[in-house]
Amino acid sequence: MARILITSALPYINGIKHLGNLVGSQLPADLYARYMRGRGHEVMFICATDEHGTPAELAAAKAGKPVADYCAEMHDTQGELARGFRLSFDHYGRSSSPQNHALTQHLAARLGQAGLIEEVTEKQVYSITDARFLPDRYIEGTCPNCGYDRARGDQCENCTKQLDPTDLVNPRSAISGATDLEVRETKHLFLRQSALRDRLDQWIDSQQGWPVLTTSIAKKWLHDGNGLQDRGITRDLDWGVPAQFDGAPWQGMDGKVFYVWFDAPIEYIAATAEWAEAQGLDEAAWRRWWREDEGADDVRYVQFMGKDNVPFHTLSFPATLMGSGEPWKMVDYIKSFNYLNYDGGQFSTSLGRGVFMDQALSILPADYWRWWLLSHAPESSDAEFTWENFQASVNKDLADVLGNLASRVTKFCRSKFGEVVPEGGAYGPREDQLIADLTTRLRAYEAHMEAMEIRKSASELRALWVLGNEYLQDAAPWSTFKTDPEAAAAQIRLALNLIRVYAIVSRPFIPDAAASLMQAMGSDDWSWPEDLGAALATLPAGHAFTVPDVLFAKITDEQRADWETRFAGTR
RNA sequence: GGGCCUGUAGCUCAAUUGGUUAGAGCAGAGCGCUCAUAACGCUUUGGUUGGGGGUUCGAGUCCCUCCGGGCCUACCA
């Protein structure tokens, strides 16, 4: 039994996430966690809300609430949706937790003591009306290059020219439109990532089999231009982890907080500490997952994230852990994803374009979404959601191939033998062949799951379901029954057992349907079918079962048309 | 501008890293079955692998070039 630590990129607090966000980190992480638990491994699956930063403060202001209250509410909202999608976090924490405050300050102090923190005084744009410093992209104005009047301070969206906020003509605050902006000096702490460049480079080189997407982004940042740049890790904000604290190896940082990207990954660790506290366990309980000197040396740590998160997970966070000089567990494998687009364009929160997590659950059960999203996960390139594809995939795979199989087997048995596993007859060559075929497919499925090849895993799982239909067609118990009822009994006994096996192997993808199937088979034995012959003999003759309700109702053309219109966006 | 990814059947994707005749699923066509959610099974149509050039005994795979799509580019997260 292995110990596997799994973290999903933290969803940002400022609103409900869309399906693209879901499939980019939390959902595949959940798939992997569920699979590894199913195989009997010890899993720690961690997620949390990422609560700091300018957008959180602005969202709270817009909602007319104190930021702490806003975050607490959104944390609960997102948590409820996570439960709705059956995301099986061992702990769902908050980057604003006391544990994260303490750990972030601890690591920052260690970095400071190691000489890896530098104080830098820089000039930034301050908005008097908004009473805050403005990040470059929160300043708008006319592009000096092309004259576009809604250019942002970091780049003009129209002509793509890189800009400095002071380049803008008639600059204004993107928050309030205020024009009373001025350049002020402010002091910040910088993490001297450049000093760790060679160690990071060697560390990346030592990793085997990481997705190209992951390593190419890391390498780009390491070697582009003058190489890895130092990075500011503090901001002039109210809400966050205070950068000035007892024991800090610097002075004059009062009123400043750590940068959200500094404290967010640390929350992976802190959330595990939150977990320990919530479970009533001691410090050692979480440290054995994260400290190589306290038991984490045999942990395999896998991170899941969208490609936009890669630089922070391959460089900044490792730099933080390495630079601390303490034996923190570093990531072993980074699974990164491309983006999911919506019907020919991007998901858009502001335009209400695309399907968001709350809307998705309001129209269909989680398993439908889980199946489609995972079987179309954007692994090799960006993927696209269309209602037509969604309807076709879900109806065919879930309703026809899997759902109907369970239905035909249980209803046939009920009508001919009653609602018990029938006795009599014996397995022959056809059954041996089925077991052999299932074994081949299952081993392939396992290999793909181990390798986190998600689409391939889904395709192999579907092929496992198809084998059941092929067997039934070939064995034709409805025919056999007329001449040799005992043979039909053996065939149906096998088929009923197969349904239980399908429940087990399908559970990582479609946990609710899997539970329904298992319940219908009157069993609670979820042990992984290492030996399919044995697994298919688990339900003995005479064992009672029930005919499950329709497992997956089909999506009708009317529904599809309705949803297509409803989620197209306001303009 | 620079870097990276990507383009394979009508659609969604494979192809053991240069090796036989480019494979699946869906959609389409035909046949079969009648237990089942008008479900299932079998057979089958469909490709100048974005265009052009090159290297090689051999190219979807490597090189050059052109065309299209996407991402990143360090103060959004």
Side-chain angles (χ1 to χ4, degrees):
Chain A
M1 187 169 88
R3 295 174 62 213
I4 303 169
L5 175 62
I6 301 167
T7 60
S8 158
L10 308 186
Y12 196 65
I13 196 69
N14 70 341
I16 290 168
K17 304 292 109 175
H18 56 62
L19 297 181
N21 297 130
L22 180 64
V23 74
S25 53
Q26 291 170 287
L27 192 52
D30 180 69
L31 179 78
Y32 190 62
R34 285 176 174 276
Y35 173 74
M36 287 302 175
R37 287 194 199 103
R39 296 306 306 272
H41 299 306
E42 185 182 359
V43 168
M44 178 61 68
F45 178 23
I46 294 293
C47 192
T49 37
D50 178 12
E51 306 193 359
H52 300 139
T54 307
E57 293 194 356
L58 296 179
K62 194 176 173 187
K65 291 173 181 168
V67 64
D69 294 355
Y70 173 82
C71 289
E73 286 172 24
M74 279 307 303
H75 172 83
D76 289 346
T77 301
Q78 293 202 18
E80 194 174 326
L81 291 168
R83 280 190 294 281
F85 274 96
R86 305 295 182 253
L87 302 177
S88 60
F89 308 136
D90 287 293
H91 189 74
Y92 170 63
R94 302 183 60 183
S95 68
S96 60
S97 69
Q99 287 86 346
N100 198 34
H101 277 238
L103 192 54
T104 297
Q105 291 176 341
H106 167 79
L107 286 169
R110 292 284 308 186
L111 291 165
Q113 288 149 13
L116 292 168
I117 299 279
E118 190 178 6
E119 295 178 32
V120 174
T121 298
E122 53 183 12
K123 291 186 161 94
Q124 273 194 320
V125 175
Y126 185 86
S127 166
I128 296 164
T129 296
D130 297 307
R132 62 167 67 237
F133 282 95
L134 297 178
D136 290 356
R137 69 167 47 199
Y138 283 96
I139 303 161
E140 282 183 349
T142 301
C143 176
N145 188 49
C146 71
Y148 181 61
D149 68 353
R150 295 189 60 187
R152 288 189 323 215
D154 56 343
Q155 185 173 34
C156 174
E157 285 180 6
N158 189 48
C159 67
T160 73
K161 187 177 171 61
Q162 305 259 334
L163 300 173
D164 187 271
T166 53
D167 296 339
L168 292 172
V169 180
N170 300 323
R172 60 185 183 274
S173 161
I175 301 165
S176 60
T179 55
D180 52 342
L181 310 179
E182 60 183 39
V183 175
R184 290 189 182 179
E185 283 201 342
T186 180
K187 188 172 78 171
H188 283 298
L189 302 178
F190 272 61
L191 175 60
R192 295 181 57 222
Q193 298 186 135
S194 56
L196 294 164
R197 184 180 72 167
D198 292 344
R199 283 180 66 189
L200 288 165
D201 205 9
Q202 285 163 20
W203 175 69
I204 298 279
D205 284 337
S206 72
Q207 304 306 324
Q208 301 296 315
W210 281 17
V212 179
L213 188 63
T214 304
T215 49
S216 66
I217 292 173
K219 285 290 180 179
K220 172 82 190 308
W221 283 54
L222 278 167
H223 300 297
D224 211 39
N226 299 321
L228 187 61
Q229 305 289 296
D230 294 341
R231 186 153 188 134
I233 57 165
T234 53
R235 290 292 182 274
D236 289 290
L237 294 172
D238 300 323
W239 173 240
V241 179
Q244 193 63 61
F245 51 92
D246 287 345
W250 47 73
Q251 292 302 318
M253 297 306 292
D254 306 270
K256 298 173 194 287
V257 300
F258 285 105
Y259 175 43
V260 56
W261 263 118
F262 183 72
D263 76 64
I266 295 170
E267 168 64 5
Y268 293 145
I269 306 174
T272 317
E274 293 171 42
W275 163 83
E277 185 184 294
Q279 302 290 316
L281 299 170
D282 60 12
E283 294 268 303
W286 69 265
R287 294 176 76 90
R288 66 188 279 275
W289 287 98
W290 284 102
R291 286 292 293 240
E292 295 192 324
D293 56 339
E294 297 177 49
D297 47 311
D298 66 340
V299 167
R300 175 167 164 79
Y301 176 22
V302 180
Q303 294 176 341
F304 289 81
M305 69 195 67
K307 57 186 167 186
D308 52 333
N309 275 238
V310 169
F312 305 100
H313 288 79
T314 51
L315 303 168
S316 317
F317 185 43
T320 300
L321 296 182
M322 263 179 201
S324 75
E326 297 173 328
W328 294 101
K329 177 66 195 172
M330 305 263 287
V331 67
D332 292 303
Y333 191 86
I334 295 180
K335 177 73 178 178
S336 52
F337 291 86
N338 287 285
Y339 294 143
L340 178 69
N341 290 318
Y342 181 82
D343 202 14
Q346 296 186 335
F347 279 82
S348 167
T349 306
S350 55
L351 299 180
R353 188 166 192 286
V355 187
F356 290 70
M357 286 173 71
D358 55 340
Q359 300 168 327
L361 290 178
S362 76
I363 60 175
L364 286 170
D367 283 350
Y368 286 68
W369 300 107
R370 290 178 61 104
W371 174 253
W372 189 89
L373 290 168
L374 289 168
S375 62
H376 294 78
E379 291 179 295
S380 55
S381 61
D382 290 353
E384 175 158 315
F385 177 91
T386 65
W387 286 100
E388 191 181 1
N389 186 303
F390 178 68
Q391 179 194 27
S393 297
V394 164
N395 285 357
K396 193 69 191 173
D397 300 345
L398 298 181
D400 295 346
V401 176
L402 177 63
N404 181 57
L405 177 74
S407 185
R408 65 195 295 209
V409 169
T410 52
K411 287 182 178 172
F412 178 78
C413 186
R414 181 173 62 184
S415 74
K416 305 299 183 197
F417 302 102
E419 284 183 273
V420 291
V421 176
E423 63 179 316
Y427 295 168
R430 184 185 282 123
E431 285 68 32
D432 292 341
Q433 185 59 51
L434 172 65
I435 290 167
D437 292 344
L438 286 168
T439 302
T440 303
R441 288 287 188 189
L442 182 57
R443 295 292 99 91
Y445 174 66
E446 291 164 356
H448 287 140
M449 287 293 262
E450 299 280 344
M452 287 166 261
E453 293 272 14
I454 296 175
R455 281 184 314 211
K456 288 179 183 174
S457 300
S459 148
E460 210 61 49
L461 177 59
R462 186 190 191 280
L464 277 164
W465 299 338
V466 167
L467 285 177
N469 282 311
E470 288 174 356
Y471 169 75
L472 272 191
Q473 187 65 33
D474 189 38
W478 48 89
S479 277
T480 319
F481 183 77
K482 295 171 188 164
T483 54
D484 187 356
E486 294 248 313
Q491 289 161 351
I492 287 299
R493 191 162 66 247
L494 181 65
L496 287 167
N497 270 284
L498 190 52
I499 291 173
R500 190 192 69 91
V501 168
Y502 285 160
I504 300 167
V505 299
S506 308
R507 183 145 83 152
F509 280 88
I510 46 173
D512 288 348
S516 299
L517 290 175
M518 185 59 86
Q519 192 183 7
M521 290 306 105
S523 175
D524 194 32
D525 180 355
W526 290 95
S527 55
W528 194 260
E530 306 286 350
D531 175 348
L532 274 161
L536 291 169
T538 300
L539 305 179
H543 178 88
F545 72 91
T546 55
V547 173
D549 293 333
V550 167
L551 203 58
F552 294 101
K554 292 200 192 190
I555 296 169
T556 65
D557 291 345
E558 291 70 34
Q559 286 177 309
R560 188 194 75 187
D562 175 31
W563 295 335
E564 223 154 21
T565 314
R566 207 160 117 201
F567 297 106
T570 47
R571 62 180 76 221

